[in-house]
Amino acid sequence: MKKLVIFDFDGTLVDSFSNRIHSHRKVAELITEFLKGRGIDADYETILKKVIKTEEEREKRLSRSRDEWWKQILKEYNVTDVPPDFITKLTNTYWEILKDTTKIYEGAPELLKELKQKGYKLGLLSDTDFAPGWKEKRFKASGLADYFDILVVAGETNPEAKPSPQPFLEVLKRLNVKREQAVHVGDNQETDIKGAKAAGIDAIWIDWQGNPNGNKYGAKAVAKGFPELKKTLYKFLGIQNQTTTQNRKEK
């Protein structure tokens, strides 16, 4: 019997992707001003495209240190002697704007509340933002923190990030739950599902894109986006969907 539901954060409970353009624009603006201050002919639109492209390429490789992203862009302009405080400013600006523009998926608070009422422990397991403290700030700003029994930031709370089994096992250890008593919910096959499997934990995959490669790592169930998650999760846990039950009573 399951006692613990572990959730990923970005792309699972909150939409931190749709509005990233606001972070991209501000970072591009700051980089443009910096380069022009050094007498370098810099075009804002060109730099914005580089910022967006860099994120797309680095995310695919799970290379998520924003500090390194900005350094790479500046290196393309033959600038390597960048003041560390400027790099930090870019990264903090990126995350500050993202924190303020992230949206909770509709129905997420209600789902978490119901699970708590049903006696389940809830764990939040999310990878580091490679800027210490920012993931916790963003989590608390989301308004979801009160529903959870524990927050583990993989790569900060413990040494290794997902898909290492280490952070998954850390959640189990801290909540005194056996691996067979837990299920992990996440949207990224390469980190969430692969990592949960490595830790011996069942997983539910939120497939937003209708991935053509299918269920690569053997998730126990697949939900087509967050709107389908409650039904999928409740079926897996053996819980009768309260919404379905209510609809039947009203007929």
Short mmCIF file of all heavy atoms in Angstrom, two decimals, residues 139-173:
data_model
loop_
_atom_site.label_atom_id
_atom_site.label_comp_id
_atom_site.label_asym_id
_atom_site.label_seq_id
_atom_site.Cartn_x
_atom_site.Cartn_y
_atom_site.Cartn_z
N PHE A 139 9.74 27.57 -4.71
CA PHE A 139 8.77 26.64 -4.16
C PHE A 139 7.88 27.34 -3.13
O PHE A 139 6.64 27.23 -3.17
CB PHE A 139 9.51 25.47 -3.52
CG PHE A 139 8.63 24.46 -2.82
CD1 PHE A 139 7.52 23.92 -3.46
CD2 PHE A 139 8.93 24.05 -1.54
CE1 PHE A 139 6.71 23.00 -2.80
CE2 PHE A 139 8.13 23.13 -0.88
CZ PHE A 139 7.02 22.59 -1.52
N LYS A 140 8.48 28.09 -2.24
CA LYS A 140 7.71 28.80 -1.22
C LYS A 140 6.83 29.88 -1.83
O LYS A 140 5.70 30.10 -1.39
CB LYS A 140 8.65 29.39 -0.17
CG LYS A 140 9.32 28.34 0.72
CD LYS A 140 10.24 28.97 1.74
CE LYS A 140 10.83 27.92 2.67
NZ LYS A 140 11.77 28.51 3.66
N ALA A 141 7.33 30.54 -2.87
CA ALA A 141 6.55 31.59 -3.52
C ALA A 141 5.33 31.03 -4.25
O ALA A 141 4.36 31.76 -4.49
CB ALA A 141 7.43 32.35 -4.51
N SER A 142 5.37 29.75 -4.61
CA SER A 142 4.26 29.14 -5.34
C SER A 142 3.00 29.00 -4.49
O SER A 142 1.90 28.86 -5.01
CB SER A 142 4.67 27.75 -5.86
OG SER A 142 4.73 26.81 -4.79
N GLY A 143 3.17 28.99 -3.15
CA GLY A 143 2.04 28.82 -2.26
C GLY A 143 1.69 27.36 -2.00
O GLY A 143 0.69 27.07 -1.33
N LEU A 144 2.51 26.43 -2.49
CA LEU A 144 2.22 25.01 -2.33
C LEU A 144 2.97 24.36 -1.17
O LEU A 144 2.71 23.22 -0.82
CB LEU A 144 2.58 24.26 -3.63
CG LEU A 144 1.81 24.67 -4.89
CD1 LEU A 144 2.34 23.88 -6.10
CD2 LEU A 144 0.32 24.46 -4.71
N ALA A 145 3.90 25.09 -0.58
CA ALA A 145 4.79 24.50 0.43
C ALA A 145 4.05 23.90 1.62
O ALA A 145 4.47 22.88 2.17
CB ALA A 145 5.80 25.54 0.91
N ASP A 146 2.95 24.51 2.02
CA ASP A 146 2.23 24.05 3.21
C ASP A 146 1.63 22.65 3.06
O ASP A 146 1.30 22.00 4.04
CB ASP A 146 1.12 25.03 3.58
CG ASP A 146 1.66 26.34 4.13
OD1 ASP A 146 2.86 26.37 4.50
OD2 ASP A 146 0.90 27.32 4.18
N TYR A 147 1.50 22.19 1.83
CA TYR A 147 0.91 20.86 1.61
C TYR A 147 1.94 19.74 1.81
O TYR A 147 1.56 18.57 1.93
CB TYR A 147 0.34 20.75 0.20
CG TYR A 147 -0.83 21.67 -0.07
CD1 TYR A 147 -0.68 22.80 -0.87
CD2 TYR A 147 -2.08 21.41 0.49
CE1 TYR A 147 -1.76 23.65 -1.12
CE2 TYR A 147 -3.15 22.26 0.24
CZ TYR A 147 -2.98 23.37 -0.56
OH TYR A 147 -4.06 24.20 -0.80
N PHE A 148 3.21 20.10 1.81
CA PHE A 148 4.26 19.07 1.79
C PHE A 148 4.89 18.82 3.14
O PHE A 148 5.04 19.71 3.97
CB PHE A 148 5.33 19.47 0.77
CG PHE A 148 4.87 19.30 -0.65
CD1 PHE A 148 4.20 20.33 -1.30
CD2 PHE A 148 5.09 18.11 -1.33
CE1 PHE A 148 3.75 20.17 -2.60
CE2 PHE A 148 4.65 17.94 -2.63
CZ PHE A 148 3.97 18.97 -3.27
N ASP A 149 5.29 17.56 3.32
CA ASP A 149 5.97 17.15 4.54
C ASP A 149 7.47 17.40 4.46
O ASP A 149 8.14 17.51 5.49
CB ASP A 149 5.72 15.66 4.81
CG ASP A 149 4.26 15.36 5.03
OD1 ASP A 149 3.75 15.69 6.11
OD2 ASP A 149 3.62 14.81 4.11
N ILE A 150 7.98 17.47 3.22
CA ILE A 150 9.42 17.63 3.06
C ILE A 150 9.75 18.20 1.69
O ILE A 150 9.02 17.96 0.71
CB ILE A 150 10.15 16.26 3.25
CG1 ILE A 150 11.66 16.46 3.34
CG2 ILE A 150 9.80 15.31 2.11
CD1 ILE A 150 12.41 15.17 3.67
N LEU A 151 10.83 18.97 1.63
CA LEU A 151 11.37 19.46 0.36
C LEU A 151 12.81 18.97 0.27
O LEU A 151 13.61 19.23 1.18
CB LEU A 151 11.34 20.98 0.31
CG LEU A 151 12.25 21.64 -0.76
CD1 LEU A 151 11.77 21.29 -2.16
CD2 LEU A 151 12.30 23.16 -0.58
N VAL A 152 13.13 18.28 -0.81
CA VAL A 152 14.50 17.88 -1.07
C VAL A 152 14.91 18.48 -2.41
O VAL A 152 14.27 18.22 -3.44
CB VAL A 152 14.67 16.34 -1.13
CG1 VAL A 152 16.04 15.96 -1.67
CG2 VAL A 152 14.49 15.75 0.27
N VAL A 153 15.93 19.32 -2.38
CA VAL A 153 16.46 19.92 -3.60
C VAL A 153 17.69 19.11 -4.00
O VAL A 153 18.75 19.24 -3.40
CB VAL A 153 16.83 21.40 -3.38
CG1 VAL A 153 17.37 21.99 -4.69
CG2 VAL A 153 15.63 22.19 -2.90
N ALA A 154 17.50 18.26 -4.99
CA ALA A 154 18.58 17.37 -5.42
C ALA A 154 19.76 18.17 -5.95
O ALA A 154 19.62 18.97 -6.87
CB ALA A 154 18.07 16.41 -6.50
N GLY A 155 20.91 17.97 -5.35
CA GLY A 155 22.09 18.75 -5.71
C GLY A 155 22.41 19.83 -4.69
O GLY A 155 23.47 20.43 -4.74
N GLU A 156 21.49 20.04 -3.75
CA GLU A 156 21.72 20.98 -2.66
C GLU A 156 21.48 20.30 -1.31
O GLU A 156 22.35 20.29 -0.45
CB GLU A 156 20.82 22.21 -2.80
CG GLU A 156 21.15 23.09 -3.98
CD GLU A 156 20.25 24.32 -4.08
OE1 GLU A 156 19.86 24.86 -3.04
OE2 GLU A 156 19.95 24.72 -5.22
N THR A 157 20.29 19.74 -1.15
CA THR A 157 20.00 19.01 0.08
C THR A 157 20.93 17.81 0.20
O THR A 157 21.36 17.43 1.28
CB THR A 157 18.53 18.52 0.10
OG1 THR A 157 17.67 19.64 -0.13
CG2 THR A 157 18.18 17.88 1.43
N ASN A 158 21.23 17.20 -0.93
CA ASN A 158 22.14 16.06 -1.02
C ASN A 158 23.07 16.32 -2.21
O ASN A 158 22.79 17.18 -3.04
CB ASN A 158 21.37 14.76 -1.21
CG ASN A 158 20.56 14.78 -2.48
OD1 ASN A 158 19.55 15.49 -2.56
ND2 ASN A 158 21.00 14.06 -3.51
N PRO A 159 24.18 15.59 -2.32
CA PRO A 159 25.18 15.90 -3.35
C PRO A 159 24.74 15.72 -4.79
O PRO A 159 25.17 16.46 -5.66
CB PRO A 159 26.33 14.94 -3.02
CG PRO A 159 26.15 14.59 -1.59
CD PRO A 159 24.66 14.55 -1.38
N GLU A 160 23.89 14.73 -5.08
CA GLU A 160 23.61 14.37 -6.46
C GLU A 160 22.21 14.78 -6.92
O GLU A 160 21.26 14.74 -6.15
CB GLU A 160 23.79 12.86 -6.65
CG GLU A 160 25.20 12.37 -6.37
CD GLU A 160 25.35 10.87 -6.54
OE1 GLU A 160 24.47 10.26 -7.18
OE2 GLU A 160 26.33 10.30 -6.03
N ALA A 161 22.11 15.17 -8.18
CA ALA A 161 20.83 15.54 -8.79
C ALA A 161 20.21 14.32 -9.46
O ALA A 161 20.86 13.29 -9.63
CB ALA A 161 21.03 16.66 -9.80
N LYS A 162 18.94 14.42 -9.83
CA LYS A 162 18.30 13.37 -10.61
C LYS A 162 19.00 13.26 -11.97
O LYS A 162 19.48 14.27 -12.47
CB LYS A 162 16.81 13.71 -10.81
CG LYS A 162 16.01 13.76 -9.52
CD LYS A 162 14.54 14.07 -9.75
CE LYS A 162 14.28 15.51 -10.09
NZ LYS A 162 12.83 15.84 -10.20
N PRO A 163 19.12 12.09 -12.56
CA PRO A 163 18.42 10.84 -12.24
C PRO A 163 19.14 9.92 -11.26
O PRO A 163 18.80 8.74 -11.19
CB PRO A 163 18.33 10.17 -13.61
CG PRO A 163 19.60 10.58 -14.30
CD PRO A 163 19.83 12.00 -13.86
N SER A 164 20.11 10.43 -10.52
CA SER A 164 20.72 9.60 -9.48
C SER A 164 19.64 9.13 -8.52
O SER A 164 18.72 9.89 -8.19
CB SER A 164 21.76 10.41 -8.70
OG SER A 164 22.13 9.74 -7.51
N PRO A 165 19.70 7.89 -8.06
CA PRO A 165 18.71 7.42 -7.09
C PRO A 165 18.86 8.07 -5.72
O PRO A 165 17.95 8.03 -4.90
CB PRO A 165 18.97 5.91 -7.02
CG PRO A 165 20.40 5.76 -7.40
CD PRO A 165 20.64 6.83 -8.45
N GLN A 166 20.02 8.71 -5.48
CA GLN A 166 20.32 9.26 -4.16
C GLN A 166 19.26 10.21 -3.61
O GLN A 166 18.80 10.04 -2.47
CB GLN A 166 21.69 9.96 -4.18
CG GLN A 166 22.13 10.42 -2.80
CD GLN A 166 23.33 11.34 -2.87
OE1 GLN A 166 23.26 12.42 -3.44
NE2 GLN A 166 24.44 10.91 -2.29
N PRO A 167 18.82 11.22 -4.37
CA PRO A 167 17.81 12.13 -3.81
C PRO A 167 16.47 11.47 -3.54
O PRO A 167 15.77 11.84 -2.59
CB PRO A 167 17.69 13.23 -4.87
CG PRO A 167 18.21 12.63 -6.13
CD PRO A 167 19.27 11.67 -5.70
N PHE A 168 16.10 10.49 -4.35
CA PHE A 168 14.86 9.75 -4.11
C PHE A 168 14.94 8.98 -2.79
O PHE A 168 14.00 8.99 -1.99
CB PHE A 168 14.60 8.77 -5.26
CG PHE A 168 14.32 9.41 -6.58
CD1 PHE A 168 15.35 9.76 -7.44
CD2 PHE A 168 13.02 9.69 -6.97
CE1 PHE A 168 15.10 10.36 -8.66
CE2 PHE A 168 12.74 10.28 -8.19
CZ PHE A 168 13.80 10.62 -9.04
N LEU A 169 16.08 8.34 -2.58
CA LEU A 169 16.28 7.58 -1.34
C LEU A 169 16.35 8.51 -0.14
O LEU A 169 15.98 8.13 0.97
CB LEU A 169 17.55 6.73 -1.46
CG LEU A 169 17.53 5.68 -2.58
CD1 LEU A 169 18.85 4.94 -2.65
CD2 LEU A 169 16.38 4.69 -2.37
N GLU A 170 16.83 9.74 -0.36
CA GLU A 170 16.89 10.72 0.72
C GLU A 170 15.49 11.08 1.20
O GLU A 170 15.24 11.22 2.41
CB GLU A 170 17.62 11.98 0.25
CG GLU A 170 17.80 13.05 1.31
CD GLU A 170 18.77 12.64 2.42
OE1 GLU A 170 19.60 11.73 2.19
OE2 GLU A 170 18.69 13.24 3.51
N VAL A 171 14.56 11.22 0.27
CA VAL A 171 13.17 11.50 0.63
C VAL A 171 12.61 10.36 1.48
O VAL A 171 11.98 10.59 2.52
CB VAL A 171 12.30 11.70 -0.62
CG1 VAL A 171 10.83 11.87 -0.23
CG2 VAL A 171 12.76 12.92 -1.41
N LEU A 172 12.84 9.12 1.03
CA LEU A 172 12.34 7.96 1.79
C LEU A 172 12.93 7.93 3.19
O LEU A 172 12.21 7.68 4.17
CB LEU A 172 12.72 6.66 1.05
CG LEU A 172 12.18 6.47 -0.36
CD1 LEU A 172 12.60 5.09 -0.88
CD2 LEU A 172 10.67 6.62 -0.41
N LYS A 173 14.21 8.19 3.29
CA LYS A 173 14.90 8.14 4.58
C LYS A 173 14.32 9.18 5.53
O LYS A 173 14.05 8.88 6.70
CB LYS A 173 16.39 8.39 4.36
CG LYS A 173 17.20 8.42 5.66
CD LYS A 173 18.67 8.72 5.34
CE LYS A 173 19.48 8.83 6.63
NZ LYS A 173 20.91 9.17 6.33
#
